[in-house]
Amino acid sequence: MAGKRVAVIGASGYGGLQTLRLLQGHPDLTVTFLGGERSSGRRWSELVPFLPLEDDLVVRSPDPEAIAAAADLAVLSLPNGLAAGLVPELLQRGVKVVDLSADYRYRSLAQWQEVYAAEARQVARRDDDLCREAVYGLVEVAEARIREARLVAAPGCFPTASLLALLPFLEQGLIETNGIVIDAKTGTSGGGRAAKETLLLAEAAEAVAPYGVVGHRHTSEIEQLAGQAAGQAIQLQFTPHLMPMVRGLLATVYGRLRDPGLTAEDCTTLLKASYRHSPTVQVLPVGVYPSTKWVRNTNRCLLSVQVDPRTGQLIVMSAIDNLIKGQAGQGMQCLNLLCGLEAGTGLPLLPFYP
Amino acid sequence: MAGKRVAVIGASGYGGLQTLRLLQGHPDLTVTFLGGERSSGRRWSELVPFLPLEDDLVVRSPDPEAIAAAADLAVLSLPNGLAAGLVPELLQRGVKVVDLSADYRYRSLAQWQEVYAAEARQVARRDDDLCREAVYGLVEVAEARIREARLVAAPGCFPTASLLALLPFLEQGLIETNGIVIDAKTGTSGGGRAAKETLLLAEAAEAVAPYGVVGHRHTSEIEQLAGQAAGQAIQLQFTPHLMPMVRGLLATVYGRLRDPGLTAEDCTTLLKASYRHSPTVQVLPVGVYPSTKWVRNTNRCLLSVQVDPRTGQLIVMSAIDNLIKGQAGQGMQCLNLLCGLEAGTGLPLLPFYP
Amino acid sequence: MAGKRVAVIGASGYGGLQTLRLLQGHPDLTVTFLGGERSSGRRWSELVPFLPLEDDLVVRSPDPEAIAAAADLAVLSLPNGLAAGLVPELLQRGVKVVDLSADYRYRSLAQWQEVYAAEARQVARRDDDLCREAVYGLVEVAEARIREARLVAAPGCFPTASLLALLPFLEQGLIETNGIVIDAKTGTSGGGRAAKETLLLAEAAEAVAPYGVVGHRHTSEIEQLAGQAAGQAIQLQFTPHLMPMVRGLLATVYGRLRDPGLTAEDCTTLLKASYRHSPTVQVLPVGVYPSTKWVRNTNRCLLSVQVDPRTGQLIVMSAIDNLIKGQAGQGMQCLNLLCGLEAGTGLPLLPFYP
Amino acid sequence: MAGKRVAVIGASGYGGLQTLRLLQGHPDLTVTFLGGERSSGRRWSELVPFLPLEDDLVVRSPDPEAIAAAADLAVLSLPNGLAAGLVPELLQRGVKVVDLSADYRYRSLAQWQEVYAAEARQVARRDDDLCREAVYGLVEVAEARIREARLVAAPGCFPTASLLALLPFLEQGLIETNGIVIDAKTGTSGGGRAAKETLLLAEAAEAVAPYGVVGHRHTSEIEQLAGQAAGQAIQLQFTPHLMPMVRGLLATVYGRLRDPGLTAEDCTTLLKASYRHSPTVQVLPVGVYPSTKWVRNTNRCLLSVQVDPRTGQLIVMSAIDNLIKGQAGQGMQCLNLLCGLEAGTGLPLLPFYP
């Protein structure tokens, strides 16, 4: 096996589990280290008997020295604030890192400390240089830079779906930069595997509700990238809603067209052109609207555009699997690029349906 | 029993079933006629063994003469276009009508024919006078007029949730009349009881998807009432989404505040004042967001307001049970008013939870 | 208000919540005390804003003196082992008790200590006399004795559904006493409101699995009553399964007929006769099988019988709402009886459907 | 491409869709013909835009001549009774067939006509010889014979889960042949993609119910194979239940041990030995019970055994994905064998989780 060796840290949370699922059968990457504090010392097959790995490793405490001895690259799937304790040590030892948390998604430490104030109070970070060095891992936008990186911050699930819908229109100046509304809907697996009352089936089934209205943390992440695309600061409305389902994320994005003569067909053509080199993004014909079910278990983002000529509104609908293109799949695209492989290597594009 | 006698036409669809559930135990109204074409001649207890009625009637073909002989009032829960074939005959015979379909929701026949073009081609209607006479049965807005009516058109589920969120702000001129976005989420029971592939559990579970984007029929119904409240024509964006759950409807409504100094607390106070005489509408404290689960099996509408001072957006969240406050419960409020009773008589306000 | 005053202890768990829902609108009972350790000192409307009570009480620590001052009866909905700390004190002060836990379901303390060994290690109980005094609150079986009791132990959800299916056949000696199999299916609300990973929507949705196979605690509770009915000790197989839904419990009960000539019609007739005085039990016609959906939000048990003449097996299917007839509704039947009311006073028999 | 060419007939039903999903990326098999009456003439990408195939074929009417020109093998996923109209024609033209329907699951035409009487009235079959020739495609039992066959009848979903649990115990005479109870639970996708009221999300969600109690057609299929294993005719109890989920099937199988001294560990060892050459069957450690979620999107069957020493009952729990190991995956194992490949070629063993 001439491929690269990968460490997965935080292996038994949903991000880690999906990363492991995706890495099984990968032609060039092998999992050689499983890191986790809680389950340290336990053999994987005892811990998760239903998800047999090619190598039935023992989970180990995520010590940087041990990781560096075992792996060339590491995927970190840890609660916000914890990756920053590990990343400098790993980079120093030559281990490239894909981080699935928010720790390196902002271009300055100060901004992270502002948005993630609660976490920032728990940890002492001094890695502003790494915040500036890290590449935001939205592959469709930054493929070349990811390829050269040491540290990639994989985007959050909401930003991924929202930005893939918005960026082409902002880059080409086709919509007003104010008044943008993103109404997003996510399955409960986005809340992670730790037990919380609100995510119990008895509470979350047969229920739809908004949360984090005004000020959800992903707002700033979306605005940072949207502003870069538009070439000016952008403030927009982002409202997440919890759906009674496990997986899937739909962002319905509203913006006002600057040219009221643009049709849904025009906008569809434009989107297709923007993503002609991105096999992960599929633009649907006008009038076909994406279901989150059509992307389950895939690394695909489905987009569809509609225009209301009466109101001048552009509506872009964007569906992803929150744990794949919204998390572990995107992380694996980055991992592939760090290894000099095609971004999509080993990633599924056919949905688990029905 | 000195109360009024009620006929329920279309008894075995979801609208009819809910009406029957709600009428059981009503202190002043008694079901004396069950109408249905498909199940005509069958005894109720055979048809729906799990929902025993006080009087185990035989379902009969909805003949106006027979209905008038048996009942003082009728609730019609029929596919669009069919109520119009029955209503004139019933009114002529002195039977007051609450219609749950869209047939009398518009102030002119022409408008109905435009919006419901497919149905209009199937039926020959000449009852423009009744379209003008009918009262739109949004009780919180038109209670006095409903009380005097012969014919009430109960609003659709999406308009109910949307209008209760919007109307106070439009009436008082607090938001811009353009740029309004209504992003709505509904359970699958809104699609009715007839078998459709897209509403199968295997298709609709673990899936969220938009439908009827730009041009959904309820848009015109919302715009008609919104325009009346604002005193000017309004065109807005309405996007429904199908949720993987049976019941419940959430409308997330976005509008731009004219006065950027207004706070969420101000708007909450205003909403509370607007609905101080409406026990069906409950305004939540700022920061508490409504779940559709909190209104299941109730005739209640839960509202919550948030304001983003950065963007100047007002966000109003509105949750109802699509089959109760969004359909049969609202119909029963109208029925109560037609009988001189309190609107809320016999209607549940405590949710089925969890 | 000339009725009785009721304390509900453990008000914010599912058992307490259902009890409170059911007591709203009760013609003769009023909630005058809300007890809870965790939420002590908080006003109900803050704690559960979506379930407004007639009296918006402040939750208080469950002190026996305070309870006795405020209430004539108490419903205890506490984790196993904790009721026993409160019950003797309440009885001493003249407060009658309906306990929803397992603490008084066995006829001797020793048996409880054997089955609930883990809980027994945490608490020092010396109330063997109360174990013997307590009446097992299966109303269909023990109505007269409950009426005279001071302390009623409401049955568990699985025993309720299973025993209502089995007892008539055991009492009349129609089935073999060995080889009985109860295959039961329950919604996740049976696991309570406390956060557990296995009950997360992301884990429990789209999943069916057995648990507690051989030796589930409810086995002994079922066997105790089954043995009393049969007049001999019975050992049977009870296997619970977790269903991907909130509420509802179905027990499919298998037993071998002693007389192979008995038909499904014969057995249906017999069941109807057994329950002719029990409005909560409805026996369906042969060939109509109960859905848990048909009993949601009701205090009803639906039974259906089938017989396989080839194998001589009797199959009895029994559906209840695990939180109503399986818990709080049954408790309220007992409460009614303790107050000299009809058992069914204030209890719903029409399902929340669809 | 030196591999074999495969026709999939009935491509847009769930069986066909799963077969197509599984065949994408298969190293040795290529789909060269899509057959379907309803969607004949339409291009696949229009019909199912979210499931892109390597070759975007046009669906064609299933004419035997055309199939034989395009393919070496055919998978038939048609309603019961229809495969029999096509199979003789295909075999005659040298096309080997895997049939996913019940048409060739019985060893005589007469037996099929008895069990599938309704279908038998619609079609004139005279292919008793083919019924005798066809091999029942339970790979774990008949691998060598499938390898030599022309026509394979893939087992139903319930028989697959039930027989894998039962056969080793029957073959070795460890359980009584009478009194066996199979209590089975299935997701709604087992009912197919055609719209039926009972399978609507609004009806089937939040509901568990038995159906086909005594006399479900799969009973005879299970008994046929169970009898062969036991060396004597067997009559058993099979009760299916509909679960509120899309996919997954759990069979809980109860039988009485002949030797009361056998432990769960003994039986687990025995099962493991029986399936030591079957990578699709995984036997779990004693005390770990299978969830249907652990086999979603896999061709795996998870088994677990428990024994109750008090009652002498053996309980075997068996979980599969009803559309993969219970249908299309099993069909593809057979297809592989017909082509001289390893049975598991191209089949997934890692679950879609969570």
Side-chain angles (χ1 to χ4, degrees):
Chain A
M1 166 77 218
K4 300 282 189 181
R5 301 165 306 153
V6 181
V8 179
I9 312 303
S12 61
Y14 287 149
L17 275 170
Q18 295 313 309
T19 301
L20 289 171
R21 280 183 68 235
L22 294 173
L23 282 168
Q24 299 308 299
H26 192 290
D28 298 293
L29 302 176
T30 312
V31 177
T32 52
F33 189 97
L34 295 181
E37 286 294 2
R38 270 193 318 169
S39 37
S40 164
R42 298 187 61 192
R43 190 162 291 282
W44 180 258
S45 55
E46 280 170 49
L47 207 61
V48 190
F50 56 87
L51 209 142
L53 300 185
E54 286 150 14
D55 271 318
D56 186 19
L57 301 167
V58 171
V59 178
R60 298 163 67 185
S61 183
D63 169 60
E65 202 63 56
I67 297 173
D72 306 307
L73 304 105
V75 179
L76 309 190
S77 182
L78 296 167
N80 290 312
L82 297 195
L86 210 50
V87 165
E89 304 278 339
L90 291 174
L91 294 180
Q92 219 171 355
R93 286 166 178 80
V95 179
K96 292 184 180 178
V97 173
V98 175
D99 180 25
L100 303 182
S101 82
D103 286 9
Y104 296 97
R105 288 185 193 151
Y106 297 94
R107 302 197 63 187
S108 79
L109 179 55
Q111 199 181 349
W112 180 82
Q113 284 167 332
E114 188 191 326
V115 180
Y116 288 82
E119 286 85 350
R121 274 192 292 278
Q122 312 292 321
V123 294
R125 287 183 63 177
R126 270 184 302 269
D127 53 353
D128 188 49
D129 54 333
L130 290 181
C131 291
R132 273 178 281 112
E133 177 188 335
V135 178
Y136 189 78
L138 192 59
V139 178
E140 291 72 17
V141 162
E143 179 161 348
R145 292 175 53 226
I146 298 167
R147 219 176 262 284
E148 307 302 321
R150 290 193 305 164
L151 170 59
V152 182
C157 51
F158 287 125
T160 297
S162 303
L163 292 168
L164 292 176
L166 263 182
L167 292 184
F169 296 101
L170 287 173
E171 276 163 3
Q172 307 199 20
L174 296 176
I175 55 172
E176 301 291 345
T177 52
N178 65 354
I180 295 170
V181 168
I182 302 172
D183 190 284
K185 297 97 181 159
T186 184
T188 68
S189 62
R193 201 180 180 186
K196 291 176 207 151
E197 187 188 303
T198 51
L199 301 181
L200 288 175
L201 188 142
E203 296 290 321
E206 283 291 308
V208 164
Y211 68 98
V213 183
V214 177
H216 186 280
R217 290 160 162 199
H218 281 179
T219 309
S220 56
E221 197 181 323
I222 299 170
E223 288 178 350
Q224 175 177 260
L225 273 278
Q228 288 168 20
Q232 64 173 106
I234 283 190
Q235 290 183 318
L236 48 74
Q237 215 54 49
F238 168 69
T239 315
H241 297 76
L242 193 63
M243 302 286 107
M245 65 182 186
V246 181
R247 284 168 89 140
L249 189 157
L250 181 80
T252 313
V253 180
Y254 302 86
R256 273 163 313 149
L257 286 171
R258 283 186 171 146
D259 175 353
L262 279 180
T263 65
E265 284 73 15
D266 296 335
C267 296
T268 298
T269 302
L270 178 143
L271 265 192
K272 282 189 176 169
S274 297
Y275 292 116
R276 66 190 177 283
H277 300 308
S278 298
T280 52
V281 180
Q282 186 185 349
V283 183
L284 294 166
V286 175
V288 177
Y289 305 121
S291 166
T292 58
K293 196 158 192 163
W294 298 356
V295 292
R296 269 205 311 176
N297 204 30
T298 79
N299 197 49
R300 184 158 266 166
C301 175
L302 287 188
L303 297 176
S304 175
V305 190
Q306 195 50 280
V307 167
D308 190 337
R310 304 177 322 139
T311 61
Q313 286 273 5
L314 170 79
I315 303 147
V316 192
M317 294 144 277
S318 173
I320 61 170
D321 183 324
N322 59 310
L323 296 183
I324 307 223
K325 183 60 185 167
Q327 189 184 42
Q330 187 138 258
M332 197 165 127
Q333 285 185 294
C334 298
L335 207 59
N336 283 329
L337 291 175
L338 293 181
C339 297
L341 303 167
E342 281 300 303
T345 311
L347 282 162
L349 295 176
L350 274 188
F352 175 60
Y353 172 89
Chain B
M1 164 80 217
K4 301 282 188 178
R5 302 165 305 154
V6 181
V8 178
I9 314 301
S12 61
Y14 286 149
L17 276 171
Q18 296 311 310
T19 301
L20 289 170
R21 280 183 68 235
L22 294 173
L23 283 168
Q24 299 309 300
H26 192 288
D28 299 294
L29 303 176
T30 313
V31 177
T32 52
F33 189 96
L34 295 181
E37 286 295 2
R38 270 194 317 168
S39 39
S40 162
R42 299 186 59 191
R43 191 162 289 281
W44 180 260
S45 56
E46 279 170 50
L47 207 60
V48 190
F50 56 87
L51 209 143
L53 300 184
E54 285 149 16
D55 271 319
D56 187 18
L57 301 168
V58 171
V59 178
R60 298 165 65 184
S61 183
D63 169 61
E65 202 62 58
I67 296 172
D72 306 306
L73 303 105
V75 178
L76 309 190
S77 182
L78 295 167
N80 290 312
L82 297 194
L86 210 50
V87 166
E89 304 277 341
L90 290 173
L91 294 180
Q92 220 172 358
R93 285 166 178 81
V95 179
K96 292 183 180 179
V97 174
V98 174
D99 180 24
L100 302 183
S101 83
D103 286 10
Y104 295 97
R105 289 185 193 152
Y106 296 94
R107 304 196 62 185
S108 80
L109 180 54
Q111 198 181 351
W112 181 82
Q113 284 166 332
E114 188 190 325
V115 181
Y116 289 81
E119 287 84 350
R121 274 192 293 276
Q122 312 290 323
V123 294
R125 289 182 63 175
R126 268 184 303 268
D127 53 353
D128 188 47
D129 55 333
L130 290 180
C131 291
R132 273 177 282 113
E133 177 187 336
V135 178
Y136 189 78
L138 192 58
V139 178
E140 290 73 15
V141 162
E143 177 160 349
R145 291 176 54 227
I146 298 167
R147 220 176 261 284
E148 306 303 319
R150 291 193 303 166
L151 170 59
V152 182
C157 51
F158 287 124
T160 297
S162 304
L163 292 168
L164 291 176
L166 263 180
L167 292 184
F169 296 100
L170 286 172
E171 276 164 5
Q172 307 199 20
L174 296 175
I175 55 172
E176 302 291 344
T177 52
N178 66 353
I180 294 170
V181 167
I182 302 171
D183 190 284
K185 298 95 181 160
T186 184
T188 67
S189 62
R193 200 181 180 185
K196 290 174 208 154
E197 188 188 303
T198 52
L199 301 181
L200 289 174
L201 187 142
E203 297 288 322
E206 283 291 308
V208 164
Y211 68 98
V213 183
V214 176
H216 185 280
R217 289 158 161 199
H218 281 179
T219 309
S220 56
E221 198 181 323
I222 298 169
E223 288 177 348
Q224 176 177 257
L225 273 278
Q228 287 168 19
Q232 66 174 103
I234 283 191
Q235 290 182 318
L236 49 73
Q237 214 56 45
F238 168 68
T239 315
H241 297 76
L242 193 64
M243 300 288 108
M245 66 182 186
V246 180
R247 285 168 90 140
L249 189 157
L250 180 80
T252 313
V253 180
Y254 302 87
R256 273 164 312 151
L257 286 171
R258 282 186 172 146
D259 175 354
L262 279 180
T263 65
E265 284 73 15
D266 297 335
C267 296
T268 298
T269 302
L270 178 144
L271 265 191
K272 282 190 175 168
S274 297
Y275 292 117
R276 66 190 176 283
H277 301 307
S278 298
T280 52
V281 180
Q282 185 186 350
V283 184
L284 294 167
V286 175
V288 177
Y289 305 121
S291 166
T292 58
K293 195 157 192 162
W294 297 355
V295 292
R296 271 206 308 178
N297 204 30
T298 80
N299 197 48
R300 185 156 265 167
C301 176
L302 287 188
L303 296 177
S304 176
V305 190
Q306 195 48 282
V307 167
D308 190 338
R310 304 176 322 139
T311 61
Q313 287 273 3
L314 171 78
I315 303 148
V316 192
M317 293 144 279
S318 175
I320 60 171
D321 183 325
N322 59 309
L323 297 182
I324 307 222
K325 182 59 185 168
Q327 188 185 41
Q330 188 139 258
M332 197 165 126
Q333 285 185 294
C334 298
L335 208 59
N336 282 331
L337 291 174
L338 293 181
C339 296
L341 302 168
E342 281 299 303
T345 312
L347 281 161
L349 295 177
L350 273 189
F352 174 60
Y353 171 88
Chain C
M1 165 80 217
K4 299 281 189 181
R5 301 165 304 153
V6 181
V8 178
I9 313 302
S12 60
Y14 286 149
L17 276 171
Q18 296 311 310
T19 301
L20 289 171
R21 280 182 68 234
L22 294 172
L23 282 168
Q24 299 308 300
H26 192 289
D28 298 294
L29 302 176
T30 312
V31 177
T32 53
F33 189 97
L34 295 182
E37 286 294 2
R38 269 194 317 169
S39 37
S40 163
R42 298 187 60 191
R43 190 162 290 282
W44 179 259
S45 56
E46 279 170 50
L47 208 61
V48 190
F50 56 87
L51 209 143
L53 300 185
E54 286 150 15
D55 271 318
D56 186 18
L57 301 167
V58 171
V59 178
R60 297 164 67 184
S61 183
D63 168 62
E65 202 64 56
I67 298 172
D72 305 307
L73 303 105
V75 178
L76 308 189
S77 182
L78 295 167
N80 289 312
L82 298 194
L86 210 50
V87 165
E89 305 277 340
L90 291 174
L91 295 180
Q92 219 172 358
R93 286 166 176 79
V95 179
K96 293 184 179 179
V97 174
V98 175
D99 180 25
L100 303 182
S101 82
D103 287 9
Y104 296 96
R105 290 186 193 151
Y106 296 93
R107 303 196 62 187
S108 79
L109 180 55
Q111 198 179 351
W112 180 82
Q113 284 166 331
E114 188 190 327
V115 180
Y116 289 81
E119 286 84 351
R121 274 192 293 275
Q122 311 291 324
V123 295
R125 289 184 62 176
R126 268 183 302 268
D127 53 353
D128 188 48
D129 55 333
L130 290 181
C131 291
R132 273 178 282 113
E133 177 188 337
V135 179
Y136 189 78
L138 192 58
V139 178
E140 290 73 16
V141 162
E143 178 160 349
R145 291 176 54 228
I146 298 167
R147 218 176 262 284
E148 306 302 320
R150 291 193 305 164
L151 170 58
V152 182
C157 50
F158 287 125
T160 297
S162 303
L163 292 169
L164 291 175
L166 263 181
L167 292 184
F169 296 101
L170 287 172
E171 276 163 5
Q172 307 197 22
L174 297 175
I175 55 173
E176 301 291 345
T177 52
N178 66 355
I180 294 169
V181 168
I182 302 171
D183 189 285
K185 296 97 181 161
T186 184
T188 67
S189 62
R193 202 182 179 184
K196 290 176 207 153
E197 188 188 302
T198 52
L199 300 180
L200 289 174
L201 187 142
E203 297 290 321
E206 285 290 309
V208 164
Y211 67 98
V213 183
V214 175
H216 186 279
R217 290 160 161 198
H218 282 179
T219 308
S220 57
E221 197 181 323
I222 299 169
E223 288 177 350
Q224 176 178 259
L225 273 279
Q228 288 167 20
Q232 65 173 106
I234 282 190
Q235 290 182 319
L236 47 74
Q237 215 54 48
F238 167 68
T239 316
H241 297 76
L242 193 64
M243 300 287 107
M245 66 182 187
V246 181
R247 284 169 89 140
L249 189 158
L250 181 80
T252 313
V253 180
Y254 303 87
R256 272 163 314 149
L257 286 170
R258 281 185 171 145
D259 174 354
L262 278 181
T263 65
E265 284 74 14
D266 296 336
C267 296
T268 297
T269 302
L270 178 143
L271 265 191
K272 282 189 176 168
S274 298
Y275 291 117
R276 66 189 177 284
H277 300 309
S278 299
T280 53
V281 180
Q282 185 186 348
V283 183
L284 294 168
V286 174
V288 178
Y289 305 120
S291 167
T292 59
K293 195 157 192 162
W294 298 356
V295 292
R296 269 206 310 177
N297 204 29
T298 79
N299 197 48
R300 184 157 266 167
C301 176
L302 287 188
L303 296 176
S304 175
V305 190
Q306 195 51 280
V307 167
D308 189 337
R310 306 175 322 139
T311 61
Q313 286 274 4
L314 170 79
I315 302 148
V316 192
M317 293 144 280
S318 174
I320 60 171
D321 183 325
N322 58 309
L323 297 183
I324 306 220
K325 183 59 184 168
Q327 188 184 42
Q330 188 138 258
M332 197 167 126
Q333 285 186 294
C334 298
L335 208 58
N336 283 329
L337 292 174
L338 293 181
C339 296
L341 303 168
E342 282 299 304
T345 311
L347 281 162
L349 295 176
L350 273 188
F352 174 60
Y353 172 87
Chain D
M1 165 77 215
K4 298 283 189 180
R5 301 165 306 153
V6 180
V8 178
I9 312 302
S12 61
Y14 286 148
L17 275 171
Q18 295 312 309
T19 301
L20 289 170
R21 278 182 71 234
L22 294 173
L23 282 169
Q24 300 308 299
H26 192 289
D28 298 293
L29 303 175
T30 313
V31 177
T32 52
F33 188 98
L34 295 182
E37 286 295 2
R38 269 193 318 166
S39 38
S40 163
R42 297 187 60 192
R43 190 162 290 281
W44 180 259
S45 56
E46 280 170 49
L47 207 61
V48 189
F50 56 87
L51 209 144
L53 300 185
E54 285 150 15
D55 271 319
D56 186 19
L57 301 167
V58 171
V59 178
R60 299 165 64 184
S61 183
D63 170 60
E65 201 64 56
I67 297 172
D72 305 307
L73 303 105
V75 178
L76 309 189
S77 182
L78 295 167
N80 290 312
L82 297 194
L86 209 50
V87 165
E89 304 278 342
L90 290 173
L91 294 180
Q92 221 172 356
R93 286 166 177 81
V95 179
K96 293 183 179 179
V97 174
V98 174
D99 180 24
L100 303 183
S101 83
D103 287 8
Y104 296 97
R105 289 185 193 151
Y106 296 94
R107 302 196 63 185
S108 78
L109 180 55
Q111 200 181 349
W112 180 83
Q113 284 166 333
E114 188 190 326
V115 180
Y116 289 83
E119 286 85 349
R121 274 191 292 277
Q122 312 291 322
V123 294
R125 288 182 64 175
R126 268 183 304 269
D127 53 353
D128 189 47
D129 54 334
L130 290 180
C131 291
R132 273 178 282 113
E133 177 189 336
V135 178
Y136 188 78
L138 193 57
V139 178
E140 290 72 17
V141 162
E143 178 161 348
R145 290 176 54 227
I146 297 167
R147 220 176 261 285
E148 306 302 320
R150 289 194 305 165
L151 170 59
V152 182
C157 51
F158 287 125
T160 297
S162 304
L163 292 169
L164 291 175
L166 263 182
L167 293 184
F169 297 100
L170 287 172
E171 276 163 5
Q172 307 198 21
L174 297 176
I175 56 172
E176 301 291 345
T177 53
N178 66 353
I180 295 170
V181 167
I182 302 171
D183 190 283
K185 298 96 179 160
T186 184
T188 67
S189 62
R193 200 179 180 187
K196 291 175 207 154
E197 188 188 302
T198 51
L199 301 181
L200 288 174
L201 187 143
E203 297 289 322
E206 284 291 307
V208 164
Y211 68 98
V213 184
V214 175
H216 185 280
R217 290 159 163 201
H218 281 179
T219 309
S220 56
E221 196 180 324
I222 298 168
E223 289 177 349
Q224 176 177 259
L225 273 278
Q228 288 168 18
Q232 66 174 103
I234 282 191
Q235 289 182 320
L236 48 75
Q237 215 53 48
F238 167 69
T239 315
H241 297 76
L242 193 63
M243 300 287 109
M245 65 181 185
V246 181
R247 284 168 89 139
L249 189 158
L250 181 80
T252 313
V253 180
Y254 302 86
R256 273 164 314 154
L257 286 170
R258 282 183 172 149
D259 174 355
L262 277 180
T263 65
E265 283 74 15
D266 296 336
C267 296
T268 297
T269 303
L270 178 143
L271 264 191
K272 281 189 177 170
S274 298
Y275 292 117
R276 66 188 177 283
H277 300 308
S278 299
T280 53
V281 180
Q282 185 186 349
V283 184
L284 294 167
V286 175
V288 177
Y289 305 120
S291 167
T292 59
K293 195 157 192 161
W294 298 356
V295 292
R296 271 205 310 176
N297 204 30
T298 80
N299 197 50
R300 184 158 266 167
C301 175
L302 287 188
L303 297 176
S304 175
V305 190
Q306 195 49 281
V307 167
D308 190 338
R310 304 176 322 139
T311 61
Q313 285 274 2
L314 170 79
I315 303 147
V316 192
M317 294 144 278
S318 173
I320 60 171
D321 182 325
N322 59 310
L323 297 182
I324 307 221
K325 184 58 186 168
Q327 189 185 40
Q330 187 139 256
M332 197 166 127
Q333 286 185 293
C334 298
L335 206 59
N336 282 330
L337 292 174
L338 293 181
C339 297
L341 303 167
E342 282 299 303
T345 310
L347 281 162
L349 294 177
L350 273 189
F352 175 59
Y353 171 86

